[in-house]
Amino acid sequence: MTSTAQGRTTPLGGKFGKLMESCRRMTRSHLAPLIHALLEQAEIALLEAADKAGDNQKQLQYFDTMNLVKRNQDRLAERYLQAVDAGFENFIQGRLPATGGSGLAGLKMQQLALVDKQAIEYELPVRNLVAKANAAYADALYGLDQRLAVVNGGDRVAEPVQPGGPVQLAQAFADALQDIEMEKPVLLILFALYDRHVIRELQAYYEEYNRRLVGAGILPNLRYEIRKHHDARQARPTAPPAASEAQGGRGADSGFSVVDAPAGAAGEESMHPPASRGSAGHGGSGGGTGNAMLSDEELDLLTDLRRGVASHRGEAEPDSRQLPPEQRESSRRRIVQSAQSIQETYAEGGGAAQDLDQLITNLEVDADLLGHLQTVIDTERRQIESAVDQAALDPEDADIIDLVGLLFERMLAEERLPNAVKALLSRLHTPYLKIGLLDKAFFMRNEHPARRLLDRMVDAGAHWVVEDDLQRGIFPCLRETVERIMQDYAQDPQLFQDLEQGLGSHIEELEHKTGIIESRAVEAANGQERLGQARRRAHAEIARIVAERHLPEEAAVHLTQVWAEKLMFILLREHDGEANPAWKLATRVLQDIVDSIEPPESEAECERRRARLPRMQTAIRDSLGELSEYGRKDTPELMKRIQAWQEAACDPQAAPATTPVRLEVLDLTLPEQAGTDSPETRLSALEQTHAEHLEQIDYGTWFQFIEPDSRPRRLRLAWYSKLSKRYLFVDPMGVKAAEYSRDQLARRLAADTARIVQQDTRAFVDRVMDTVLSWIADKNPTNR
């Protein structure tokens, strides 16, 4: 049975128009690094395919395509992204034709926008990519179908015109390749690379796509209802009428139905399980409650912490007076009630919570974000203290209020923490103040569940937040965790154990995904490094042999191309590289050929060369046979050209004009020569100091890059080469984000447009407590 998707001819407006434009930008930012990684890997893959080619013609196809892709890499990537953008633009503007059929049955050959022979060659790979994506991301795509139908005014969006859907993503790649003529074997390699580097990396993209639609209020409570059947052969999916029309062909045999149920309804499984889901009891021993008993040593430590805060604030020693127990308990109860009232206002989205939401939304334009956050925290503290007359405020409680305030002040000062995370975590000031008042074990015991959770959130925020796109990475999970605390925490520490377990599971998943993405980026960089080093060494050897020799331009260009491939193959395949007999043979043969085709200086030399020519040609032919496994296998054709050049060299009438070979004409990539920098490009003393430090830097070091008119970027050093002096940086999700030479990076460090982010491996609360105690030691040296 097929369904018909209705066409729409009116543009989206208002909220939906802005929403889909946001999804378009998100799609481009997600796909751009993936397509660039693919194109960077294409040269290596095609080189390996050429090495295994069965005949000369196939090998030439691989070489030709490799060169085309290399020259047009940026243009191909942009054409691909523009094709994806066009799909969103058509959807937003209402250019949606009515489309019969669904799923792959609706993907017609004419919709591939290819012509003649290309249509046939491109259709099957595109279909295969679509089928793989539909199978791999069935759950997310099913939700996307439902939600886009709502955006589309209730009419289902057919798969071929679904913005960002598998059909459009596969078709965009096919469109990008149209300008490059290639045979089917080469085409299949490129589609296989697209499958590996793009199609298999779309889980996070489709999850984020759905999250953005959910964030706009579109079917936020969509649930899967798992249906169990006694006989699988009789299983049939069911769906309510509103969903069946949008279901189409995708997921038709999934065995579940979809309902828009109230959040938290029993017996249902969320499409995106909340991060807080998990078993209780996690978080270790030492979790305290309001009745936790502290040892004498811990009580002394708490007193020291309070003294440290007073010392830092320039205040007198903490007041040691004791209020009567009943008055102290009444005072603390009123303070906790005041904090609870502020927390409930947050949970309802009112008060300062609205300000914080606005701050997170306007991070790019808020030049004084941290000042605003500090003001919010100070305002909360004054509100809480005002609940009790100062004379009735227990000194210990006053110090606890200051100590928690200091904890969040230090969080705002964390250099490695993105501002968005600071804005989010600052919401926890009030509930953590309640924890400090009700359970002083929070300050003493690093296994306290609330302390463990705060440490984990700060660390996760420093490592897994993409500031340019907060929907990627850990930020949505952190936000959900904060909201759970604001809504649900009263006095039970079990909540923090559950939340920490859920956050930990999410972090483990991110570590796994990021590790895979980063390892592929490093793998590609290593491959490019080996390829680049092999190319530069091969070109340097060719330059040594042919530079300034008087050769016909055709001969110089052709020999350079052929021998560059041969020498590169030898270096890439043979572990002993230049020591291998094949390298020595290849360089000697090139030298012999050049000697034999350069015009002789005299008639006598010409006669001697004619006499040696038969023996020389036999030796060259035999040597080319030995070298045929490296690079092109066109020995007969190449030998014919060499013989023609040799014979023309001694024939004044047939000999073409020759000029000294200029390396720039041959487009040779040569290694950088030491000591050839101009005064303008040499490093200053400060830059040289940074360059020397970069030679010893550790992988995983975080850098902050400051660009004009844009938010600073925090990137992690994933790889660098001591040979080429290239440094590869990835974003928090492991995606390649930047690449610099050592000298470029040293100049940026010297100019303070790049900074190394200092890291401390200690837990966040431990660091703050140690800082407070150090203030005591500074003020009282005799106590050290």
Side-chain angles (χ1 to χ4, degrees):
M1 179 179 178
T2 62
S3 61
T4 300
Q6 299 298 316
R8 176 169 54 85
T9 58
T10 57
L12 292 174
K15 180 180 75 170
F16 284 164
K18 293 179 181 178
L19 171 64
M20 294 309 299
E21 177 60 28
S22 168
C23 290
R24 183 195 65 77
R25 292 194 300 269
M26 176 273 295
T27 300
R28 174 176 271 259
S29 69
H30 189 98
L31 294 178
L34 299 181
I35 193 66
H36 280 292
L38 178 158
L39 294 172
E40 288 177 358
Q41 200 70 4
E43 186 176 9
I44 300 173
L46 291 170
L47 191 64
E48 292 174 351
D51 185 28
K52 301 174 184 177
D55 58 62
N56 176 58
Q57 184 178 1
K58 288 183 180 178
Q59 195 169 56
L60 286 173
Q61 291 171 4
Y62 292 129
F63 282 128
D64 291 343
T65 306
M66 181 178 71
N67 292 329
L68 279 172
V69 172
K70 180 183 175 184
R71 288 198 302 268
N72 296 284
Q73 181 172 325
D74 291 340
R75 188 173 63 84
L76 287 171
E78 185 57 29
R79 176 163 181 147
Y80 168 78
L81 295 172
Q82 287 176 353
V84 176
D85 283 346
F88 277 89
E89 184 66 16
N90 288 338
F91 182 77
I92 294 170
Q93 297 301 324
R95 295 190 285 265
L96 298 182
T99 306
S102 62
L104 294 179
L107 184 60
K108 304 299 184 183
M109 188 182 302
Q110 60 267 29
Q111 291 169 338
L112 294 175
L114 303 174
V115 294
D116 303 328
K117 187 177 81 170
Q118 281 188 319
I120 300 172
E121 293 178 344
Y122 281 71
E123 181 185 14
L124 185 58
V126 169
R127 284 176 178 265
N128 287 339
L129 291 175
V130 173
K132 287 182 178 181
N134 280 338
Y137 313 118
D139 293 356
L141 291 172
Y142 198 85
L144 194 61
D145 282 342
Q146 302 280 325
R147 295 184 172 106
L148 286 178
V150 174
V151 176
N152 197 41
D155 294 327
R156 177 179 174 271
V157 183
E159 290 184 49
V161 293
Q162 185 180 89
V167 175
Q168 289 202 353
L169 296 190
Q171 181 57 44
F173 187 64
D175 290 345
L177 298 179
Q178 282 188 69
D179 291 342
I180 298 180
E181 294 185 7
M182 64 187 74
E183 298 299 324
K184 189 172 182 180
V186 182
L187 185 69
L188 293 178
I189 289 176
L190 294 177
F191 273 107
L193 288 172
Y194 185 73
D195 178 29
R196 176 182 178 185
H197 291 277
V198 179
I199 295 297
R200 298 185 194 180
E201 303 296 338
L202 295 178
Q203 183 67 44
Y205 164 64
Y206 283 123
E207 288 176 355
E208 182 178 342
Y209 201 161
N210 272 294
R211 278 197 296 269
R212 293 208 172 200
L213 299 178
V214 169
I218 301 173
L219 301 182
N221 301 313
L222 199 63
R223 293 288 189 271
Y224 285 125
E225 186 180 70
I226 309 300
R227 302 193 64 206
K228 297 181 179 180
H229 301 277
H230 296 293
D231 187 348
R233 293 170 297 178
Q234 300 177 2
R236 292 291 184 271
T238 62
S244 61
E245 180 68 16
Q247 181 172 347
R250 185 178 288 146
D253 299 319
S254 57
F256 50 72
S257 61
V258 179
V259 294
D260 189 24
E268 295 174 352
E269 183 176 345
S270 170
M271 291 179 64
H272 303 290
S276 57
R277 186 175 293 173
S279 60
H282 185 73
S285 60
T289 67
N291 298 319
M293 299 298 294
L294 302 182
S295 66
D296 291 340
E297 291 81 2
E298 289 173 327
L299 287 171
D300 289 342
L301 176 59
L302 180 58
T303 301
D304 283 345
L305 290 172
R306 293 163 51 208
R307 289 171 52 210
V309 174
S311 172
H312 175 62
R313 296 185 185 280
E315 300 169 353
E317 287 284 319
D319 192 348
S320 58
R321 65 188 172 89
Q322 294 289 325
L323 295 178
E326 291 184 1
Q327 186 177 351
R328 183 188 314 149
E329 186 62 32
S330 174
S331 169
R332 183 168 301 168
R333 186 167 55 250
R334 287 198 297 274
I335 292 173
V336 170
Q337 288 173 347
S338 176
Q340 181 67 31
S341 175
I342 293 175
Q343 182 179 329
E344 290 172 355
T345 303
Y346 268 96
E348 295 168 0
Q354 292 178 333
D355 295 335
L356 286 173
D357 276 333
Q358 192 70 18
L359 290 176
I360 293 174
T361 302
N362 296 322
L363 282 174
E364 293 185 15
V365 297
D366 193 343
D368 192 27
L369 172 70
L370 300 185
H372 287 313
L373 296 177
Q374 185 63 60
T375 299
V376 171
I377 291 175
D378 292 342
T379 300
E380 287 180 359
R381 186 163 56 215
R382 287 194 298 271
Q383 283 183 267
I384 291 170
E385 290 175 335
S386 67
V388 180
D389 183 76
Q390 288 299 308
L393 179 62
D394 186 74
E396 183 177 288
D397 289 345
D399 293 333
I400 294 297
I401 292 172
D402 285 343
L403 185 55
V404 173
L406 177 67
L407 186 69
F408 280 84
E409 288 175 14
R410 301 298 291 184
M411 184 270 292
L412 294 181
E414 278 282 292
E415 180 185 25
R416 65 194 187 117
L417 206 59
N419 283 349
V421 179
K422 293 177 182 179
L424 179 65
L425 296 187
S426 65
R427 289 185 170 191
L428 296 177
H429 171 251
T430 299
Y432 270 82
L433 179 55
K434 284 170 49 184
I435 294 167
L437 291 167
L438 294 169
D439 185 4
K440 296 178 181 62
F442 170 80
F443 298 104
M444 308 304 113
R445 299 172 184 169
N446 55 20
E447 287 299 308
H448 190 286
R451 179 165 170 169
R452 283 172 56 96
L453 179 61
L454 182 60
D455 284 335
R456 200 77 182 267
M457 293 178 77
V458 170
D459 187 64
H463 283 88
W464 308 104
V465 170
V466 183
E467 294 174 85
D468 292 335
D469 195 343
L470 294 177
Q471 293 305 314
R472 297 175 63 202
I474 200 69
F475 190 82
C477 181
L478 290 178
R479 186 161 197 159
E480 182 180 350
T481 302
V482 169
E483 289 171 353
R484 281 288 309 279
I485 294 172
M486 301 304 294
Q487 292 171 1
D488 299 343
Y489 173 64
Q491 297 186 24
D492 183 7
Q494 181 65 46
L495 173 68
F496 295 94
Q497 294 179 0
D498 294 344
L499 291 176
E500 201 237 330
Q501 184 178 37
L503 179 62
S505 298
H506 201 89
I507 290 173
E508 288 178 7
E509 181 182 353
L510 275 178
E511 287 176 337
H512 175 69
K513 290 181 178 179
T514 302
I516 293 174
I517 295 172
E518 183 173 337
S519 66
R520 289 178 179 171
V522 171
E523 176 187 336
N526 276 320
Q528 289 292 326
E529 176 73 6
R530 289 185 64 237
L531 186 62
Q533 290 293 331
R535 176 181 288 111
R536 284 187 287 272
R537 182 63 192 93
H539 286 187
E541 187 66 17
I542 294 169
R544 181 186 68 81
I545 295 172
V546 305
E548 298 304 316
R549 299 293 292 270
H550 287 71
L551 304 176
E553 184 172 334
E554 178 201 4
V557 172
H558 189 78
L559 288 174
T560 297
Q561 293 174 348
V562 171
W563 250 261
E565 293 165 3
K566 291 187 181 298
L567 295 179
M568 285 168 56
F569 266 120
I570 293 169
L571 292 175
L572 292 172
R573 288 178 52 185
E574 308 298 345
H575 69 279
D576 50 354
E578 295 178 44
N580 191 274
W583 174 275
K584 298 176 180 178
L585 176 61
T587 55
R588 189 181 73 243
V589 171
L590 179 59
Q591 182 73 61
D592 291 343
I593 293 172
V594 170
D595 289 342
S596 69
I597 67 176
E598 188 174 32
E601 296 180 356
S602 64
E603 184 61 31
E605 172 61 24
C606 188
E607 290 300 325
R608 288 193 294 271
R609 188 182 297 183
R610 285 196 184 99
R612 297 196 309 267
L613 201 54
R615 186 173 70 253
M616 183 185 301
Q617 290 175 344
T618 298
I620 292 175
R621 183 182 293 105
D622 292 343
S623 298
L624 288 177
E626 293 183 48
L627 296 171
S628 62
E629 62 179 302
Y630 302 104
R632 304 185 185 185
K633 298 177 174 62
D634 56 356
T635 300
E637 291 81 2
L638 179 58
M639 195 62 217
K640 289 179 182 178
R641 291 193 178 203
I642 293 171
Q643 288 173 334
W645 295 328
Q646 289 171 334
E647 293 167 0
C650 287
D651 185 350
Q653 295 182 351
T658 62
T659 56
V661 172
R662 293 180 292 116
L663 300 184
E664 57 269 23
V665 173
L666 302 180
D667 193 25
L668 293 179
T669 303
L670 302 178
E672 295 178 2
Q673 300 297 319
T676 59
D677 286 347
S678 66
E680 292 77 14
T681 61
R682 292 196 187 105
L683 298 179
S684 67
L686 177 59
E687 291 168 346
Q688 186 61 41
T689 300
H690 284 297
E692 292 170 0
H693 175 62
L694 289 170
E695 295 276 4
Q696 309 298 327
I697 201 165
D698 294 328
Y699 294 127
T701 300
W702 284 91
F703 282 65
Q704 185 179 60
F705 293 93
I706 296 92
E707 308 292 349
D709 303 322
S710 65
R711 182 189 302 127
R713 292 197 304 167
R714 295 167 53 258
L715 304 176
R716 188 173 68 253
L717 178 63
W719 173 90
Y720 66 90
S721 166
K722 291 184 178 295
L723 293 175
S724 66
K725 303 293 190 289
R726 289 192 305 130
Y727 289 71
L728 174 71
F729 291 89
V730 297
D731 70 11
M733 298 307 296
V735 176
K736 178 182 174 181
E739 185 174 329
Y740 298 97
S741 70
R742 185 203 62 178
D743 289 358
Q744 287 173 329
L745 198 53
R747 290 190 179 96
R748 294 202 63 159
L749 289 169
D752 204 32
T753 59
R755 294 191 297 115
I756 296 175
V757 179
Q758 300 301 322
Q759 300 181 71
D760 192 329
T761 57
R762 293 174 298 165
F764 168 67
V765 180
D766 284 348
R767 284 187 278 121
V768 177
M769 299 298 107
D770 289 347
T771 299
V772 174
L773 294 175
S774 72
W775 292 337
I776 300 175
D778 290 340
K779 188 172 183 179
N780 303 284
T782 57
N783 292 341
R784 293 182 183 179

